[in-house]
Amino acid sequence: MRGRAAVVVLGDIGRCPRMQYHALSLSKQAGLEVDIVAFTGTEPHVALLEDPNIHLHLMNSPFPAGLPRVLYLLLLPFKVIMQFVTLFWILLRQIPAPDFYLVQNPPSIPTLTVVKWSCWIRKAGFIIDWHNFGYTLLGLKLGSNHPLVKIHYWYEQRYGKMADGYLCVTRAMQHELSQNWGIKATVVYDRSPEFFRPITLQEKHEVLTQLHEELTTPLAGEDCCCEESPEPSGYLDYEYDSSKGDKSGEHRGLLQGDYILPNVHHTILTSHTIVESVEGDTTTEITEGDMYSYREGRPALIVSSTSWTADEDFSILLEAALMYDRRVSAILGESDSVFEIEVNPDKVKPRPSSLFPRLLIVVTGKGPMRTLYEDQIRKLRLRRVAFRTMWVSAEDYPLLLGSADLGVSLHTSSSGLDLPMKVVDMFGCGLPVCAASYSCIGELVLDRQNGLLFSSSSELADQFLDLFRGFPTTSNLLSALKDGALSSGSSSRWSDEWAGNVLPLIRKVSRKRRIDH
């Protein structure tokens, strides 16, 4: 008979990748039946939905996110009561008795109380995975000296000590828990699972085709990355893929003589040409295959994923984009006349330069401040930078990262003790990052090895200039950081980290439970 575990998240499970990975490892690596108790919302990864040993028990969130502060305070007691009753009912009545509960913290109230009481009643083990501190997140909304924040701190310390085992995300957090909370936690670094990986040019073309409309439709007016349909060039950098022979590999050739190039399809970055036959005087002869190539003069694709909350200052990226735009004009000796409005008052006439590329900055995610920043983006007048905001499915997100040239992380942490999982995912895809600098980010991002650290929008703009000068052919710093990101992503995967740190703790808690009961 298989053992059983309950994974408890008082949040949208689709936006909690670490807890999804825990559930998958509990099923596949520990051989357990897994009940996930969480809020409904975003679709979780398909691997979770297709695992027959994982069972979802989803609750509806009692109130929408992003409420005004006064309304938030008025509804807070009712929210806590509703969550307490609903969660208690599910843990005691709707799911079978587990061997142990694995709980994400934060949120702390009322999760820690409900789970602890359920452990007493059902004689189960109790493991807390510390992602951050709940009282510091509340402090972002109410201020660090607010009475409710102080009450939350007392509550989190009291109930946080009642578990049988502890996990945390950084060595800095491990030290804080040990020195000031009396808690001995095991560090389990976020690592990307196997589906975050470098991808082929064909896979890039396919995902960019799926996202084509979103990537080429501006938030307002027109910009430098609106839809274009140039004629295909005779000079092609491509990957050859034929199902009729082993001819895969990278080639560069000049197609000459009589040939047919039917069905040329473009995305914002790539082209796909189906070659039926190429004969005559050719540098490279190709027969019955597909060619995937990067488009000449393509923009550099930058991806930044965000929860659109107060612990990420998105204005830094907006200001950096504006500075890049103006500094490139200054370097090239362009006058302000390039920003003059012509014919269409919403259109800024683009004049792309070969020295510095256009930047297409894609911001993924959902959150309460998204609309605010979208309004700010619409007010910018950028000649060679374009923004897109979108939500990408869990299956397409790794492919989007694999298609990008650079990642940007604005995460700084309310406590300064956790690390951005988005950077872990980027490294898994071999994507270098520019990351906001704070106390423990050095546990993940090694400056000038797998990424760059910045402390201001001006510094980030300078990094864009350094990374993309001569893009894509002579951007040496970007290439070196990509190699470092590939090395970081391949050095350790989630399954290895989990087997070495989480599985021993689970066995220890399970043995203690059997002895006690």
Side-chain angles (χ1 to χ4, degrees):
M1 182 177 177
R2 294 171 65 99
R4 199 168 200 101
V7 175
V8 182
V9 180
L10 207 64
D12 181 351
I13 185 61
R15 297 171 66 184
C16 300
R18 180 177 170 102
M19 300 311 288
Q20 293 186 59
Y21 303 159
H22 272 308
L24 287 168
S25 291
L26 287 167
S27 169
K28 298 182 182 303
Q29 294 179 255
L32 301 176
E33 293 283 335
V34 183
D35 295 292
I36 297 178
V37 180
F39 283 140
T40 188
T42 308
E43 186 87 347
H45 196 278
V46 66
L48 204 75
L49 300 175
E50 293 179 350
D51 193 314
N53 302 317
I54 297 178
H55 316 280
L56 291 171
H57 308 267
L58 300 180
M59 307 173 285
N60 293 318
S61 181
F63 302 111
L67 292 173
R69 174 172 167 164
V70 174
L71 189 57
Y72 173 81
L73 291 174
L74 288 174
L75 295 176
L76 186 59
F78 301 99
K79 176 182 177 181
V80 171
I81 292 171
M82 291 177 65
Q83 289 179 340
F84 185 97
V85 172
T86 303
L87 185 59
F88 205 51
W89 174 262
I90 292 175
L91 295 186
L92 289 182
R93 302 292 298 177
Q94 287 194 7
I95 67 172
D99 299 317
F100 62 89
Y101 295 91
L102 175 59
V103 181
Q104 172 186 293
N105 185 75
S108 313
I109 300 175
T111 319
L112 299 183
T113 301
V114 175
V115 173
K116 183 59 183 177
W117 291 7
S118 299
C119 288
W120 283 333
I121 294 172
R122 309 199 84 165
K123 296 180 174 57
F126 184 15
I127 299 174
I128 299 176
D129 188 5
W130 294 83
H131 294 199
N132 201 341
F133 293 110
Y135 79 93
T136 62
L137 290 172
L138 186 62
L140 292 177
K141 290 184 177 180
L142 306 179
S144 58
N145 294 321
H146 195 281
L148 286 180
V149 176
K150 296 183 183 299
I151 292 172
H152 196 298
Y153 174 73
W154 171 85
Y155 169 90
E156 196 168 7
Q157 271 205 331
R158 176 178 173 80
Y159 275 92
K161 297 177 181 179
M162 294 185 179
D164 303 300
Y166 305 92
L167 306 170
C168 66
V169 294
T170 64
R171 296 199 180 281
M173 182 174 288
Q174 181 189 49
H175 183 267
E176 170 69 15
L177 288 169
S178 175
Q179 295 298 311
N180 299 320
W181 294 55
I183 291 173
K184 184 178 180 181
T186 300
V187 178
V188 181
Y189 283 118
D190 285 321
R191 304 293 186 195
S192 57
E194 285 68 20
F195 41 80
F196 285 92
R197 56 177 175 80
I199 61 175
T200 66
L201 190 54
Q202 178 178 347
E203 289 174 303
K204 294 177 185 180
H205 182 84
E206 290 170 353
V207 72
L208 293 173
T209 298
Q210 294 177 33
L211 302 174
H212 183 72
E213 184 174 353
E214 293 172 284
L215 291 173
T216 57
T217 304
L219 289 172
E222 296 185 28
D223 57 30
C224 65
C225 291
C226 291
E227 170 62 6
E228 301 173 3
S229 297
E231 293 299 318
S233 170
Y235 292 90
L236 297 173
D237 284 314
Y238 57 84
E239 292 179 3
Y240 178 81
D241 181 18
S242 174
S243 60
K244 297 185 177 181
D246 185 14
K247 299 181 180 179
S248 61
E250 295 185 359
H251 306 274
R252 180 176 177 84
L254 172 59
L255 306 183
Q256 300 173 339
D258 298 327
Y259 57 90
I260 300 173
L261 298 177
N263 300 327
V264 179
H265 178 260
H266 297 297
T267 70
I268 189 76
L269 304 181
T270 60
S271 294
H272 174 208
T273 305
I274 300 176
V275 181
E276 293 184 350
S277 64
V278 179
E279 299 177 353
D281 183 12
T282 63
T283 303
T284 302
E285 182 174 333
I286 306 171
T287 304
E288 297 182 0
D290 292 345
M291 291 187 294
Y292 293 91
S293 63
Y294 281 118
R295 291 174 61 172
E296 185 178 355
R298 68 182 176 95
L301 178 59
I302 299 174
V303 176
S304 179
S305 58
T306 178
S307 55
W308 299 100
T309 53
D311 63 347
E312 294 185 343
D313 187 357
F314 191 73
S315 63
I316 292 176
L317 183 55
L318 299 188
E319 293 168 4
L322 185 62
M323 291 177 186
Y324 174 87
D325 205 64
R326 300 299 188 258
R327 289 175 186 177
V328 170
S329 292
I331 292 171
L332 300 178
E334 298 173 345
S335 67
D336 290 340
S337 63
V338 298
F339 298 101
E340 290 179 359
I341 298 172
E342 299 180 7
V343 185
N344 183 347
D346 293 324
K347 184 175 180 179
V348 177
K349 183 179 178 181
R351 249 194 260 163
S353 164
S354 59
L355 182 60
F356 292 98
R358 295 168 292 156
L359 302 184
L360 176 58
I361 302 177
V362 176
V363 186
T364 69
K366 296 178 181 179
M369 302 180 72
R370 175 174 170 173
T371 302
L372 171 68
Y373 283 117
E374 285 179 335
D375 290 340
Q376 293 184 25
I377 292 171
R378 292 186 181 97
K379 296 175 183 177
L380 296 175
R381 298 181 59 217
L382 301 172
R383 178 173 176 269
R384 51 174 48 81
V385 182
F387 278 91
R388 304 288 185 263
T389 59
M390 64 180 71
W391 172 257
V392 183
S393 71
E395 290 70 48
D396 285 342
Y397 179 62
L399 299 174
L400 177 62
L401 292 184
S403 303
D405 301 293
L406 181 71
V408 173
S409 171
L410 301 167
H411 180 83
T412 54
S413 173
S414 62
S415 64
L417 299 174
D418 68 313
L419 294 171
M421 190 164 189
K422 69 194 75 176
V423 173
V424 176
D425 295 337
M426 291 171 181
F427 287 166
C429 296
L431 183 64
V433 301
C434 292
S437 181
Y438 63 97
S439 57
C440 69
I441 190 65
E443 293 188 40
L444 178 61
V445 180
L446 304 178
D447 196 30
R448 305 192 72 83
Q449 294 185 39
N450 54 20
L452 300 176
L453 300 176
F454 62 86
S455 300
S456 67
S457 54
S458 179
E459 194 173 0
L460 179 58
D462 286 338
Q463 291 174 357
F464 287 165
L465 291 171
D466 291 341
L467 290 167
F468 293 117
R469 182 185 294 269
F471 178 87
T473 56
T474 59
S475 43
N476 296 329
L477 177 57
L478 184 64
S479 297
L481 295 181
K482 183 176 179 64
D483 291 339
L486 279 167
S487 177
S488 297
S490 62
S491 62
S492 178
R493 289 293 186 175
W494 171 262
S495 58
D496 302 321
E497 186 79 6
W498 199 90
N501 295 291
V502 183
L503 192 55
L505 179 65
I506 288 173
R507 289 170 175 165
K508 178 181 176 181
V509 170
S510 298
R511 283 196 302 269
K512 181 177 182 299
R513 172 181 171 270
R514 287 194 295 269
I515 293 171
D516 292 343
H517 303 291

